[in-house]
Structure formats: structure tokens, C-alpha cells
């Protein structure tokens, strides 16, 4: 099983804290890999909020090709963080040339473009780099987005953290999502590693998605740029979230209604019965069967957790104003925020979405049986 | 045959027939039940004479002979009276003295069933000796440790499917906001009783099915639907609240539609849907056929035709000359008749041209789905040559259609219903689950219903199959009161409920170990595999050995 840990903090914190919390839960994962998503960055990235940050792993040749490619497009490097690693990695971690985290200034020609257009271009460029990398096996790119850093590697999470020296002072973020144990069902491929990211939406998941095939088929046939890959059955959760917001224009409260719609008895009593009945029908191919616990992050820095209908995976949310964490297990939460009011801990059940807003003041719970805020 | 009788080309012996009657003189009580129940008059009570020799071992006594008579049960050997193996004789015999036995060599009857130049007709399914592809499909993706298998007995399952045109979500949301027209969609149980007409089926069978379906809906909460087939619908049902469980079929003969159209203003509920039949898997390219034997006063009244004439529906809808007209205009007209509140979908026979129909439907916003009927489907009457040699298997037809929809991104918009031989070897749930995972939204069954709910004994190996002439020994497909009174509608209803409930449990026993319960696993092709390399490749599923 995988283990998940995420926090949202007023103060930027090092990812090492999230990995330590994962380590407390190590009985629940096999230490086969780690994935990190960092947003609302601190340190040197604090003043570069509008600059897209490229995160990935490159060979020497790959890096050369990347530089040429981005320079040709008119990107200028604004800041780079080099992660130098010892020549010989510990056992279980592959040898890499460079883990790249680099902030760019967008081409001048983009200045007058609307934000949506810029976002679309950033996505297309990331996908093109991915394609180039796959052709020559020299580049792996996780994200190319403002205020977002992603790191993924195979190996024991703590060992990877020490090897990459992730405890360094200049690598901090206010929101971090971390996942231990990477996807072993479809062969280890870094593109199959959680968390998954698309245009500002990120998710990571615990559990196997048994309805993966029809969901994948459906997403692939939407004709939406970025709905691709699917080396992992969990990637679809990020794309369904993206679809909920960007295509359907719905909010986070609707996400759970798409993943696991209400059943007939509750649907009949719901104040938005008509709408939800139609949503259930039209989005039927996106219904998950779980068992899955999904933790996700929205472009507006909200962090949330939802469970599938069966609620067979663990998940708990707790904290104190200014610092909240989402964890697979209580022990992870205890290790990270021992001084919280534990009576306010919340374990989302089959109807719940637990949300912490960007103000980080409380855990908001939204039940599927409640009235749905609909866009006008 | 006595020695001085002419031997004609069609003179057959008992040995030449597909079924031979074995009769035990010692057990027979000569009650006559077997001969009177035999629908074919294949056996008769007979008094025969035999010569007895009186021989003496002593000298001087001349041998003599005498004649004695004895009773026997004789088998007729004319082609029109050939035994069909229905074994009703066995069923009525209290002493187990009689039974039809399949010939140990190929029957010669097949060469002589065309007496008078009439091509052979029959009911049932196409002849087949091999298991279907669906029977060979296995369910492989078993949840155990990567995720827990579910408990088929205790877990909550959402088994229903959708019948109706489902819009893309974004368009649907927009129309909801604007209060626009959204196509009607019905949430129904995925196992539908396919079109078997009032006429093809006896009144007791039809009544039993309707009662069973109503019970499943009203008492068991299972939204089971039944299609009328082409033959109209009894007027009282048209005006009752139970019409909502009925899919009305219109086909190329339009039989019964005069009555249906007239009753629209008096309907208290809308029907579940309208099925426009363009083709039937058992006899593609051929229209429905109700032979004159079955067109009695009641059937004639419901269908709006004279009594005692054969009713062959044309192979196609005569008022249409192109796919655009046939599909688009007809669907639209039918939708309009019920104020666009009722889903209307075409049913075609599986064929290599099915994808062209599907592509046309995909562009028609009023088309509520597509039902495809495969070559193993049953029929009440058809030419044997059509039944045995025409048609297309259902598995690849559904799969191709689903993958085409997936390419178009419309796999959730146009539900596919597959039928034709589902459960023909008794594996109803396994066949249905396999077809659903290949992409069907639901399943239509007909022959299986007759077999499970009413004890039809027709088979794909030349047993019975006389549905066409109305002599059904079980009273399932007969319009003769002496025959159909054998069938109790209440018992049929009970059996319908029985097999639906057991199907429901079996389908859970399949999908629960796959970790599925929240929605029907339509298109979950990663869960299935087959040990036939070419079939695996053709269906785009796993090849396993």
C-alpha cells in the first residue's frame, strides 16, 4: 500500500518534514520510491512567483538539448537550484546526472497574452520536452509551472532525501504533498510516480483504481491537451480534478460527486437532485470504484482529501491554525504536529471532502448530502 | 412399410430420422398419453399382426402357423411427422417406457424437409456445436492484495445501466442552465428481456413475463424492462401504469401500431423506450415472420390483420430508402409522438455494416442508443438457411462498436445493448459480464428467457424448434389454447424472478472480486482474457494460457 502525507503551513517548511512523517508510516509502504510536490514556495523562489519553474531529471546531453530548445523559444533562466549528488548513489537509487529546478522568465512575446493562453503554452512546452526526452531517454520533466516544484525518484524516501540533500535551507514551501512507495503495478517509471500534476492541479492517491481502464479511455477521448500518459492508474484523479474545474466549470464540492456519485436513496433527497442526477449520468465513465484515498491541491492553494465510496483506505486531517496536515495514518500526523487539538482531527468518510483553505485556519468538511454551490 | 409399397425418393426409415423413439413393450401400459401429447404425431398406437409358427418335434405332426394381433407404439417416418425429440412422450409416461434418442449417424431428414418445394422454416437458434467466444472469456483481474476484493453478498452494488442519449457533461450543464431540451434517459437493469412478440409467444407466456417483470420492479426494486417485439401490445397494458416497464418495438410490418398510436392520448405513463427494429441477429436481412398457424382471432385483432394468414414483415422499412432517412427521420418521428420524453433507439442485426449505422447514429442527437443482435439470437420463425448461415457474432460487433465510440469520445453518450445467444449454454451472467466488459451497456435475452422461465426444450442441435408452426409442446409459442393452457403464467412469473435474482447474485460474484461495485464495469476490458490468440487480438483483450 502507498502512504501519503501533505501539509499546508503559513511558514515555508522543508520537504524533509513531510518525508519524516512518511517515514513514521513506513510499515505501510515498501520504500520503493518517493514523490514530492511543492507549491507556494519559499526561499529564493519567494520573489519568482510568476516565473514558470521547470522540474525534472536530465542527462548531460538532455540538459544541452533543453537549453537550446527553451532558448529558441525565448525563455531566459532567472534562477536555478542545482542538486548535486555524490557520484555513486546508494543501493536502489538509479544514477542520474542532474535533478533540475530552474525558474525561467517567459518570452517577451508572451507579455500581452491572456493568462489562459500562457498556461496552455506552458503545458504544451512541458509535453514537448517530455516527448523529446522519451525519444532519446535523456529528459524527464515533472512540471513546468509557476510556483511549483516536483521531485520524484525511485528508492527509499529517507535515503532519497538524504542523497538529494532535500533538507537544505533554500528548498522550502508552504504546501507540500509527499507520497511513499511508487507504483509497482505497471512497472516503475518516474512518470508513473505520484503526485500527478496538470495545469495547477495536483493529486496523489493511495490504493488501486479498479475502474482505471474505462476512465482512461474516457479521458483520452476528451481531446484535451495533457490528458495523456496514464502509466499509473492514479494519474486519472488529477485529470478528473482538472476536468471538473476547467471543462465543467464546477468547484471542489462537485469533485466527489463525479468520483463517487450519491446512490439513489440519498440522491432523491438532495436539494440539487436534478443537477446531480444529470451529473451522475453524464460523468458516469469517471466514476471510480476505489479503494482510493485522494489528496489534492488546487491552483488557489487549497488542499483537500476525499475517499472513495467504500472508504477502504486510511486518511486523517488535523492541525492547528496556520499548520494543517493530511496523512494516511494518525502516527504521521502525530509526528508532524504533536501539539494540535486531537479532538478536532477528522477522518473523511465515504461522503466527505475535507478542505483546508489558503488561510489555513480550519478544516472545512463538505458532505455530499449538502447543497452544492453551483456556478451561475 | 409392406413389401409391395412403392419406395419413393423421400421414403425414410426410422434409422434415417434424427430422433428415434425407443419404446419398451414390457413397461408400456398403453394408456395412450404419449401419442396424444406428441405435437408432431410422430408416434401412433397401432395394432399389428404377427405370424406364429407352431412347430412340433414329434413325428407326424405337421407344422402349422397362426396369426396373433398385438398392440404397439409405432414411429411415423414421413418428414412432416418426424420426431423432433421434444420428449413430451417421456414426460407424460408414468412408466418411463418411451424416450426419443438422437440418431447415431447424420440424419437424412435434412434432404427431404423441402417437400413441395417449400424451403424449410423453423424456430430457435442457429445450429451450432461449438462453445461461443463469450463462453471462453475469463475474468482475470482479481483483486486480492493490491486492493481488497469485495463481498458479493454483503456489499452495496450499483448494477443499473442507462438507456438514452447521454450528452457530454459540459453540454448537459449548459442546457440545464438554459432550461434546454435534454434527451430522456432511463436508469434500467442491464439485463433486458428482448423483443418477443405477442403472437410469437403464447398469451400465457406473455402474461407470465409481464407479471414477473412487474414483480421485479414493484417488489424487488429491480428496474427490469421487457421489449414487446413486433406484434403490438395488449390494449389494457397500453393504458396501465405498467407500461413504464415496457419497451415498445416498431418493426417493418408495423403490426399493432395502429392501436398503439390511438392509445397515446390515453396512456397514463410513458413507455420505457421505443425500439425500432431494423434487423434481427437470427435472420439478418429478413423481416419478422408469424406463420398463419398462429394468427388466430386475438392475434389478428391486436395486430390489426385478418385471421389465418402468414405475416411476413418486409426485410426493411418500406417507406425509407436510405440510412439517413431510416434512422434519422424515423427516430425523430417516434420521439415526437411522445413529446421527446421517451428514448428511441434502433436495433440492428450484427453485421459488417454495423459501424456505418453506428456512425450515423452518433451524429443523430435523438438516437438513444443502439441494440445489436448477434447471429446466435433466437427467433420464432425463420428460414433455416437464414438462421444457420447468415449473421455475425455479437462479441466482435459490440467490441468494434465500443472502440469506435471510444475513438469518437462518445462511449458514454450512446449505450450499446448486445444480444444474440447470451447464455445459450447456460452461462448467462458470465456471458453478460464478458459482453459488458467488452463495451455493452446492457444485454438483451430472449431464448434464454423461454428456456429458464418456461422450460423451452429447443436446442441448437435439432431438438424441437417448432415455434414457427405453433405446436410448442410446452405452450410457450403456441396460440392453441389446448397447448398454452399447459403453461401457468404465475409459474412463469416465478421463474422470471428466480433467474433474475440468481443472475444478480452471479454478476456480483464476478464483479466483486474485480473490485467493482460503484458502477457497472462497462468497457473494463483489462479485466478479461481468452486463451485463443486470434480472438484476443481481434477483441483487443489479453491472451492468456
Amino acid at each position: 500500500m502507498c502512504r501519503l502525507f501533505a501539509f499546508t503551513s503559513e511558514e515555508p517548511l522543508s520537504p524533509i518534514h513531510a518525508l519524516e512523517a512518511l517515514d513514521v508510516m513506513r510499515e505501510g509502504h515498501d520504500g520503493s520510491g518517493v514523490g514530492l510536490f511543492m507549491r507556494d514556495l519559499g526561499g529564493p523562489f519567494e520573489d519568482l512567483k510568476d516565473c514558470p519553474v521547470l522540474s525534472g531529471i536530465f542527462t548531460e546531453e538532455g540538459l544541452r538539448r533543453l537549453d537550446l530548445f527553451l532558448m529558441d523559444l525565448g525563455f531566459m533562466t532567472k534562477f536555478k537550484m542545482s542538486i548535486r549528488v555524490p557520484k555513486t548513489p546508494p543501493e536502489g537509487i538509479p544514477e542520474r546526472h542532474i535533478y533540475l529546478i530552474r525558474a525561467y522568465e517567459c518570452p517577451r512575446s508572451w507579455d500581452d497574452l491572456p493568462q489562459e493562453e500562457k498556461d496552455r503554452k506552458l503545458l504544451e512546452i512541458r509535453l514537448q520536452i517530455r516527448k523529446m526526452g522519451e525519444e532519446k531517454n535523456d529528459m524527464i520533466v515533472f512540471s513546468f509551472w509557476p510556483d511549483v516544484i516536483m521531485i520524484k525518484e525511485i528508492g527509499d524516501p529517507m535515503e532519497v532525501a538524504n542523497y538529494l540533500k532535500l533538507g537544505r535551507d533554500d528548498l522550502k514551501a508552504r504546501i507540500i504533498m509527499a507520497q511513499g512507495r511508487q507504483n509497482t503495478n505497471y512497472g516503475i517509471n518516474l512518470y508513473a510516480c505520484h503526485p500527478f500534476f496538470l495545469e495547477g492541479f495536483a493529486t496523489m492517491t493511495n490504493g488501486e483504481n479498479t475502474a482505471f481502464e474505462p476512465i482512461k479511455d474516457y479521458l483520452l477521448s476528451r481531446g484535451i491537451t495533457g490528458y495523456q500518459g496514464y502509466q499509473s492508474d492514479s494519474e486519472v484523479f488529477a485529470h478528473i480534478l482538472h476536468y471538473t474545474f476547467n471543462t465543467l466549470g464546477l468547484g471542489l464540492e462537485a469533485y466527489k460527486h463525479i468520483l463517487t456519485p450519491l446512490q439513489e436513496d440519498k440522491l432523491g433527497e438532495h436539494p440539487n437532485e436534478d443537477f446531480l442526477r444529470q451529473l451522475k449520468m453524464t460523468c458516469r465513465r469517471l466514476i471510480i470504484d476505489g479503494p482510493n484515498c485522494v489528496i489534492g491541491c488546487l491552483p488557489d492553494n487549497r488542499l483537500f482529501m476525499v475517499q472513495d465510496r467504500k472508504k477502504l483506505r486510511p486518511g486523517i486531517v488535523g492541525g492547528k491554525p496556520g499548520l494543517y496536515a493530511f496523512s494516511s495514518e494518525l502516527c504521521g500526523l502525530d509526528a508532524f504536529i504533536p501539539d494540535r487539538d486531537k479532538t478536532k482531527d477528522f477522518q473523511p468518510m465515504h461522503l466527505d471532502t475535507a478542505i483546508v483553505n489558503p488561510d489555513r485556519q480550519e478544516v472545512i468538511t463538505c458532505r455530499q448530502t449538502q447543497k452544492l454551490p453551483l456556478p451561475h | 412399410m409392406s413389401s409391395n409399397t412403392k419406395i419413393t425418393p423421400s421414403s425414410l426409415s426410422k434409422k434415417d430420422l434424427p430422433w428415434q423413439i425407443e419404446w419398451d413393450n414390457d413397461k408400456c401400459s398403453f394408456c395412450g398419453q404419449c401419442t396424444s401429447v406428441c405435437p408432431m404425431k410422430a408416434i401412433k398406437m397401432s395394432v399389428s399382426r404377427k405370424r406364429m409358427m407352431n412347430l412340433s418335434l414329434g413325428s407326424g405332426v405337421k407344422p402349422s402357423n397362426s396369426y396373433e394381433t398385438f398392440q404397439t407404439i409405432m414411429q411415423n417416418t414421413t418428414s412432416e411427422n418426424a420426431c423432433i425429440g421434444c420428449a413430451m412422450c417421456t414426460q407424460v409416461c408414468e412408466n418411463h417406457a418411451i424416450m426419443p434418442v438422437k440418431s447415431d449417424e447424420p440424419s437424412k431428414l435434412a434432404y427431404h424437409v423441402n417437400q413441395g418445394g417449400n424451403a424449410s422454416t423453423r424456430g430457435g437458434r442457429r445450429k451450432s456445436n461449438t462453445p461461443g467466444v463469450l463462453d471462453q472469456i475469463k475474468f482475470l483481474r482479481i483483486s486480492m492484495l493490491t486492493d481488497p476484493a469485495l463481498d458479493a453478498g454483503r456489499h452495496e452494488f450499483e448494477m443499473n445501466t442507462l438507456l438514452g442519449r447521454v450528452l457530454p457533461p459540459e453540454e448537459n450543464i449548459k442546457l440545464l442552465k438554459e432550461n434546454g431540451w435534454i434527451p430522456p434517459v432511463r436508469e434500467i437493469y442491464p439485463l433486458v428481456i428482448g423483443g418477443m412478440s405477442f403472437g410469437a409467444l403464447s398469451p400465457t407466456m406473455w402474461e407470465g413475463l409481464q407479471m414477473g417483470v412487474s414483480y421485479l420492479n414493484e417488489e424487488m426494486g429491480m428496474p427490469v424492462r421487457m421489449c414487446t417485439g413486433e406484434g403490438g401490445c395488449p390494449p389494457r397494458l397500453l393504458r396501465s401504469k405498467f407500461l413504464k416497464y415496457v419497451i415498445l418495438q416498431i418493426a417493418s410490418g408495423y403490426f399493432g401500431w395502429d392501436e398503439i398510436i390511438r392509445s397515446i392520448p390515453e396512456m397514463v405513463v410513458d413507455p420505457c423506450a421505443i425500439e425500432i427494429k431494423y434487423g434481427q441477429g437470427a435472420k439478418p436481412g429478413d423481416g419478422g415472420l408469424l406463420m398463419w398457424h398462429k394468427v388466430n382471432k386475438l392475434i389478428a385483432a391486436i395486430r390489426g390483420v385478418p385471421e389465418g394468414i402468414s405475416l411476413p414483415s418486409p426485410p426493411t422499412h418500406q417507406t425509407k430508402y436510405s440510412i439517413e432517412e431510416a434512422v434519422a427521420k424515423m427516430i425523430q418521428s417516434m420521439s415526437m409522438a411522445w413529446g421527446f420524453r421517451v428514448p428511441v433507439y434502433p436495433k440492428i442485426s450484427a453485421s459488417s455494416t454495423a459501424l456505418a449505422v453506428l456512425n450515423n447514429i452518433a451524429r443523430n442527437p435523438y438516437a438513444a442508443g443502439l441494440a445489436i443482435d448477434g447471429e446466435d439470437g433466437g427467433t420464432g420463425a425463420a428460414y433455416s438457411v437464414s438462421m444457420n448461415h447468415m449473421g455475425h457474432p455479437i462479441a466482435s460487433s459490440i467490441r468494434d462498436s465500443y472502440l469506435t465510440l471510444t475513438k469518437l469520445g462518445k462511449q458514454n453518450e450512446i449505450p450499446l445493448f448486445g444480444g444474440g445467444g447470451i447464455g445459450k449454454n447456460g452461462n448467462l451472467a458470465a456471458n453478460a459480464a464478458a459482453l459488458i466488459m467488452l463495451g455493452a451497456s446492457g444485454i438483451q435475452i430472449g431464448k434464454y428467457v423461454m428456456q429458464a422461465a418456461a422450460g423451452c426444450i429447443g436446442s441448437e442441435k435439432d431438438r424441437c424448434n417448432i415455434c414457427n408452426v405453433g405446436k410448442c409442446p410446452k405452450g410457450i409459442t403456441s396460440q392453441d389454447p389446448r397447448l398454452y393452457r399447459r403453461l401457468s403464467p404465475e409459474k412463469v412469473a416465478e421463474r422470471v424472478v428466480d433467474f433474475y435474482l440468481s443472475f444478480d447474485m452471479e454478476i456480483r460474484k464476478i464483479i466483486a472480486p474485480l473490485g467493482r461495485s460503484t458502477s457497472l464495469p462497462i468497457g473494463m476490458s483489462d479485466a478479461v482474457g481468452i486463451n485463443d490468440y486470434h480472438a484476443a487480438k481481434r477483441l483487443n483483450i489479453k491472451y492468456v494460457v
Side-chain angles (χ1 to χ4, degrees), chain A residues 185 208 210-211 213-214 217-218 221-222 243 247-248 250 263-264 275 278 280-285 287-289 291 309-310 312-313 375, chain B residues 141 146-148 150 155-156 158 161-162 166-167 169-170 172 176 182 185 402 406 409 411-412 514-519 522 524-526:
Chain A
N185 302 325
E208 187 156 1
T210 49
E213 194 75 14
D217 286 345
Y218 190 74
S221 64
R222 292 308 89 198
Y243 187 73
T247 303
L248 304 185
L250 300 174
Q263 294 192 336
E264 189 51 40
F275 178 82
Q278 295 285 332
K280 182 178 179 178
M281 284 181 186
T282 55
C283 294
R284 193 160 64 124
R285 298 303 161 109
I287 294 175
I288 65 162
D289 230 313
R309 175 83 196 169
K310 296 183 257 292
L312 288 170
R313 288 286 182 252
Chain B
R141 199 203 163 286
T146 52
D147 54 289
L150 304 173
H155 222 88
E156 55 177 25
E158 285 230 321
T161 193
L162 301 179
V166 179
L167 296 175
E170 56 272 36
N172 188 279
L176 267 178
I182 292 174
V185 179
Y402 180 75
T406 301
Q411 65 267 48
N412 191 46
L514 307 181
R516 299 297 305 269
S517 69
T518 313
S519 69
I522 301 164
M524 188 188 178
S525 54
D526 56 331

Side-chain angles (χ1 to χ4, degrees), chain B residues 13-282:
Chain B
S13 74
K14 189 171 163 181
K15 180 70 182 168
D16 301 324
L17 300 178
W19 293 92
Q20 289 141 17
I21 296 292
E22 273 186 4
W23 166 74
D24 187 337
N25 188 21
D26 294 338
K27 289 184 187 168
C28 183
S29 67
F30 295 101
C31 66
Q33 290 212 59
C34 57
T35 51
S36 64
V37 81
C38 177
M40 300 307 293
K41 297 194 171 35
I43 43 176
K44 59 185 176 196
M45 294 269 263
S46 165
V47 179
S48 294
R49 190 176 74 144
K50 91 178 153 182
R51 182 180 172 196
M52 303 297 287
M53 299 299 292
N54 303 318
L55 301 172
S56 168
L57 294 175
S59 59
V61 182
K62 273 180 84 177
S64 65
N65 63 42
S66 60
Y67 289 91
E68 285 181 11
T69 55
F70 65 96
Q71 276 180 292
T72 184
I73 304 285
M74 296 281 278
Q75 180 170 2
N76 279 318
T77 57
T78 54
S79 66
E80 62 272 23
N81 296 114
C83 171
I84 53 167
C86 70
M88 289 307 284
C89 50
T90 314
Q91 199 150 359
V92 295
C93 182
E94 289 183 2
N95 294 354
H96 304 296
I98 190 166
M99 189 167 69
V101 174
K102 193 84 195 263
S103 173
D104 58 3
E105 71 146 40
S107 145
K108 306 296 175 290
L109 186 65
Y111 306 108
H112 300 282
V113 286
N114 50 6
Q115 300 293 317
N118 294 317
S120 144
T121 52
R122 64 176 179 91
R125 291 198 187 101
R126 107 192 146 95
K127 280 192 199 175
S128 141
N129 289 311
T130 48
V133 165
L134 292 176
D135 288 316
Q136 297 172 57
I137 289 178
K138 305 163 199 291
F139 305 96
L140 311 167
R141 199 203 163 286
I142 314 297
S143 301
M144 266 173 296
L145 291 167
T146 52
D147 54 289
L150 304 173
D151 187 329
R154 299 188 187 90
H155 222 88
E156 55 177 25
F157 285 82
E158 285 230 321
M159 300 286 300
N160 293 344
T161 193
L162 301 179
L163 170 59
R165 185 60 167 260
V166 179
L167 296 175
E170 56 272 36
E171 198 181 324
N172 188 279
I173 289 174
K174 187 167 164 272
L175 285 168
L176 267 178
K177 259 187 231 165
E178 295 167 354
N179 231 352
W181 177 72
I182 292 174
V185 179
R186 307 282 197 243
E187 194 176 325
I188 65 171
Y189 196 73
L191 188 68
V192 175
I193 299 181
M196 292 182 287
S197 71
F198 190 94
L201 296 184
S202 66
T204 42
M205 180 65 184
W206 232 72
E207 193 183 352
L209 293 182
Q210 289 293 347
M211 278 198 289
V213 166
S214 300
Y215 188 91
L216 286 165
N217 277 279
E218 310 261 319
E219 297 298 324
M220 307 307 297
M222 291 167 74
V224 174
R225 300 293 180 260
M226 170 177 162
C227 179
T228 57
E230 184 193 18
C233 187
R236 275 182 64 191
L237 180 56
L238 285 171
R239 290 161 180 83
S240 82
K241 64 171 184 168
F242 300 107
L243 184 64
K244 60 180 182 252
Y245 307 142
V246 175
I247 296 168
L248 296 172
Q249 189 189 78
I250 183 163
S252 56
Y254 307 109
F255 293 121
W257 272 79
D258 194 36
E259 176 65 34
I260 292 174
I261 296 291
R262 277 169 207 273
S263 66
I264 289 178
E266 292 162 31
M267 286 180 185
V268 290
V269 291
D270 286 331
C272 166
I274 309 297
E275 179 176 274
I276 307 175
K277 178 189 152 190
Y278 292 104
Q280 189 174 341

Side-chain angles (χ1 to χ4, degrees), chain B residues 85 96 158 168 272 288 300 314 392 394 494 501:
Chain B
H96 304 296
E158 285 230 321
C272 166
H392 190 294
I394 188 62
E494 223 175 285
L501 293 184

